[in-house]
Amino acid sequence: MAFIDNVSDWFESLADRFRRENDELRREDRENELINETNEIANDATDASQPAKILSVDFKAKENAANHHCEKYELLERRKDVSVLRRGGTFLITVTFNKTVDLKKQHQLKIYMSFGPRPNTQNGTQAVMTVSGKMMFDKNHEIWDVRVDEKSPTSATLEIQIPTEAPVGLWSTAFELADRGDKDGASRHLMRSEQMTYILFNPWNENDYTYMAEEPKREEYILNDVGKVWIGSYPTARGRHWVFGQFDDAVLPACILLMEKARVSPENRGDPIRVARAISRIVNSNDDNGVIMGRWDGNYEDGSPPTKWTGSIAILEQYVSTQKPVRYGQCWVFAAVVNTVCRAIGLPARVVTNLNSAHDTSGSLTIDEYFDKDGEEYRYNFTGPNPEGERDSIWNFHVWNDVWMARPDLPDGYGGWQVIDATPQETSDGVYQCGPASHEAIRQGQMHFKYDVPFVLAEVNADVVHWQVDDGAPDGFKKLSSNQFHVGKQVLTKAIGDVESGGFNKNDREDITQEYKPNEGSRAERLTLYTAARRSRAARHAFRLPSEAIEDVEFNIKDVERVPIGEDFSITVTMKNVGDANRTVTMKNVGDANRTVTSLLTASSTYYTGAKAYPITRAEGEFVLKPNETKTLSLPVKYKDYFPLLVEHAMIKLVAICNVKETSFSWVGEDKFQVIKPDMIIELTTEAVVDQPLGVRFSFSNPLSNSLTKCSLVVDAPGLVRPKTIPLSNVPSKAKMVHEMKLYPKKETNCTIVATFNSIELRDLTGCVNVTILSTEG
């Protein structure tokens, strides 16, 4: 509970600062006089001779929140001085006076809404509304307005209109009541309210830049607080459960802190383009000591491994509490926290996974792989496009976010989903941020549209180009071949609807590959890449050169689709001489129709970024292929050989390198896959009823011939239980792990229980169950 207390302390200090910095309304001397006058008349509030005063303001926080789709925010339950609203909407307040007040003829009531340290009406961070007594709004949706909804002699219920472009964040409110015609201010009464009002983006309002027309999409991309993040390799990616928890009482205060640390000026916090770009920067720690520090080498002794986290709440709590980056995260953790922040402030967002994701370091729109004259991988340090020598790579998977918004800064048709990416890979405008990049710009190859379209385009649609040392070539390398089908094999996100319990269940995932690019290999897809390449000098070099290889031997590496952890598997490469004995040889030194092939197969454990961890085993051979002859080379891989060498995510990379002696053709094939781990099974053992113990059972079977040690279970369920880590006993080989616990529902709700199991030997087993909490009978 220490985190919660510190978050509350920070929340109080933030609120105090906003009140303290309201310079326009402060006027200390006059305010002190008004306080004294108020005390003097408190015992005779009904005395008609006394000046009119404001006694109280009811902000109707829960009623207004429900009308703004904000009733789930837990701050409303825990604090009476907090309102959560959406811009473009209206909200009701009731002002109570000490005597009869006539707002049309005798008295004048002003309402001040203020945002940021130096509120100003000209830049949209302050509004001054005068209650004229009118019963209808008469200003357009871009302007603050107020009308009288209901009036009694000593109170007025007012409806206030929030502009559709209002800055998003924490607003303060003040009220001023005076007699009409009072020129010296003698009757003026100023009351600064203690109420703190969060104003959010409003995807329900068609005039908001974040407007999303379809209700099922709004339910999923704004209101759903549990989801999945797909991790692993194509085609066996696993949906990892994640609690976004955007309604938790720690999250909105954390979002305000992030905007402050990202140095987004108050007047720009209503612009979803600027806000989204800032979020992509501040969730990583590289430039502004943001939320999460990334680490990919497997050494987490001074922090927590990324697989420990089950949701965003604990991460944001720790960050707000310590004001230091949380150690550690990887791309899927960055993206999940970004999703929480975006949904919390009303920006529609989803987590997106790209399988076989390219990291193009030189802007060439290609992933360049280099080989020496014998076909061995060649370590080549660039001195041209990438002078620091960083090499291109292909990540088994990479995770980012789509956010939904209009793009008034781009031509028509480029709004909708936009990519932002908080994983610090490359700098943009000098800092580690990425996006928003329009889906349509990526799909059309429009490299010049803001922001970072070339980088994202390469991630999903780069060609893999193989180069070989050639002393006679101008650059020292000749182009052997290219593969236009390997990168961006599949782009996945969670489908609209409930989250499923199993990690490999396909019912709750959506394939959105074609939102990023046309069908692979189609004319439209090639046109996209060529359009983009024309705007990149580095890309033109690779795309204009033809492949020089004579490809009269076909090779294929058989994909390994599912290997449950604890089982053996094998790699198989097939090679076929597609020539015939009667073909005409037109090139020198090609020789007869037989082909001599040397093959090398390797298996290694790998990090999900594609970086090699440890070699597991290898096999090699030489074959003579007659015309139309087919031969195979297989490499068996034993569980006892690969298991001790696995690193996080349990990924294995298989590589086949084949050389044809007569033609000097070199072929490289690879397959990457994630060893399959068991799912966590979560079952309810009692009925879920408010104020009654809810029994929950967690279980799975240990598939290993090893015992599982230093075991722990993390349980998280927004609205039911906060993130909780439970130490467990060792799990013997081939035994079943079972843990039971009681939870205590406090309110009717639909929620999801998510759990993650970790041990030294087996990490990141996840599961979930959807729960409907019923009211107490009778």
Side-chain angles (χ1 to χ4, degrees), residues 246-286:
Q246 65 266 33
F247 304 116
D248 187 87
D249 62 353
V251 172
L252 276 180
C255 293
I256 300 302
L257 174 63
L258 295 184
M259 289 298 100
E260 293 283 316
K261 291 182 72 70
R263 301 184 300 278
V264 181
S265 63
E267 60 268 25
N268 286 327
R269 293 187 198 175
D271 181 355
I273 300 170
R274 294 176 186 266
V275 169
R277 188 159 173 80
I279 291 171
S280 80
R281 179 173 76 250
I282 197 59
V283 169
N284 69 66
S285 67
N286 290 52

Side-chain angles (χ1 to χ4, degrees), residues 506-524:
K506 296 183 179 180
N507 293 332
D508 60 353
R509 82 177 194 187
E510 181 181 1
D511 187 331
I512 57 171
T513 309
Q514 290 194 30
E515 293 186 25
Y516 279 85
K517 59 183 178 181
N519 284 332
E520 199 73 80
S522 67
R523 184 175 180 180

Side-chain angles (χ1 to χ4, degrees), residues 12 19 66 79 96 115 141 265 416 449 491 601 679 719 754:
E12 291 289 356
R19 299 185 191 111
R79 304 186 65 97
T96 301
F115 183 81
H141 61 83
S265 63
F449 286 164
V491 185
L601 300 183
D679 284 328
V754 174

Side-chain angles (χ1 to χ4, degrees), residues 39 66 184 255-256 277 293 312 415 442 556 612 655 703 713 717 755:
N39 291 335
D184 60 7
C255 293
I256 300 302
R277 188 159 173 80
M293 183 179 294
S312 305
I442 296 165
N556 180 59
K612 183 177 179 180
V655 178
L713 183 70

Side-chain angles (χ1 to χ4, degrees), residues 215-230:
E215 181 60 24
K217 291 183 177 180
R218 294 192 291 250
E219 290 282 341
E220 178 67 33
Y221 303 130
I222 306 158
L223 301 180
N224 201 342
D225 56 3
V226 175
K228 278 185 178 179
V229 182
W230 267 263

Side-chain angles (χ1 to χ4, degrees), residues 206-446:
E206 63 183 8
N207 295 308
D208 195 296
Y209 285 134
T210 65
Y211 174 63
M212 180 172 268
E214 299 170 58
E215 181 60 24
K217 291 183 177 180
R218 294 192 291 250
E219 290 282 341
E220 178 67 33
Y221 303 130
I222 306 158
L223 301 180
N224 201 342
D225 56 3
V226 175
K228 278 185 178 179
V229 182
W230 267 263
I231 61 176
S233 298
Y234 177 83
T236 57
R238 172 176 68 96
R240 190 188 194 279
H241 301 89
W242 191 272
V243 175
F244 300 121
Q246 65 266 33
F247 304 116
D248 187 87
D249 62 353
V251 172
L252 276 180
C255 293
I256 300 302
L257 174 63
L258 295 184
M259 289 298 100
E260 293 283 316
K261 291 182 72 70
R263 301 184 300 278
V264 181
S265 63
E267 60 268 25
N268 286 327
R269 293 187 198 175
D271 181 355
I273 300 170
R274 294 176 186 266
V275 169
R277 188 159 173 80
I279 291 171
S280 80
R281 179 173 76 250
I282 197 59
V283 169
N284 69 66
S285 67
N286 290 52
D287 299 295
D288 302 295
N289 283 321
V291 180
I292 303 166
M293 183 179 294
R295 191 155 193 171
W296 287 266
D297 61 5
N299 298 318
Y300 309 117
E301 290 80 6
D302 58 343
S304 298
T307 52
K308 169 197 170 182
W309 309 111
T310 60
S312 305
I313 297 171
I315 294 172
L316 291 169
E317 281 185 338
Q318 182 176 333
Y319 180 69
V320 172
S321 171
T322 64
Q323 298 284 292
K324 294 179 180 179
V326 177
R327 304 182 182 197
Y328 291 101
Q330 293 173 351
C331 68
W332 46 282
V333 181
F334 288 113
V337 172
V338 165
N339 216 54
T340 297
V341 173
C342 289
R343 290 187 182 181
I345 63 175
L347 183 58
R350 62 187 185 184
V351 178
V352 174
T353 299
N354 181 34
L355 302 179
N356 287 1
S357 187
H359 183 178
D360 175 18
T361 61
S362 60
S364 65
L365 300 179
T366 59
I367 301 302
D368 299 300
E369 298 181 353
Y370 292 83
F371 302 89
D372 63 20
K373 293 179 180 179
D374 297 322
E376 296 287 346
E377 190 173 5
Y378 188 86
R379 299 292 179 179
Y380 178 64
N381 287 330
F382 288 96
T383 57
N386 187 11
E388 297 180 0
E390 186 179 356
R391 302 178 70 244
D392 292 346
S393 61
I394 299 177
W395 295 24
N396 288 26
F397 69 93
H398 181 50
V399 187
W400 59 70
N401 300 83
D402 281 345
V403 291
W404 182 272
M405 67 183 72
R407 288 298 298 268
D409 58 325
L410 300 180
D412 290 345
Y414 289 88
W417 288 120
Q418 317 283 314
V419 173
I420 60 173
D421 190 350
T423 301
Q425 296 182 90
E426 301 289 332
T427 60
S428 174
D429 294 334
V431 296
Y432 284 96
Q433 60 187 350
C434 182
S438 164
H439 268 209
E440 190 61 22
I442 296 165
R443 205 171 187 277
Q444 298 294 336
Q446 299 297 332

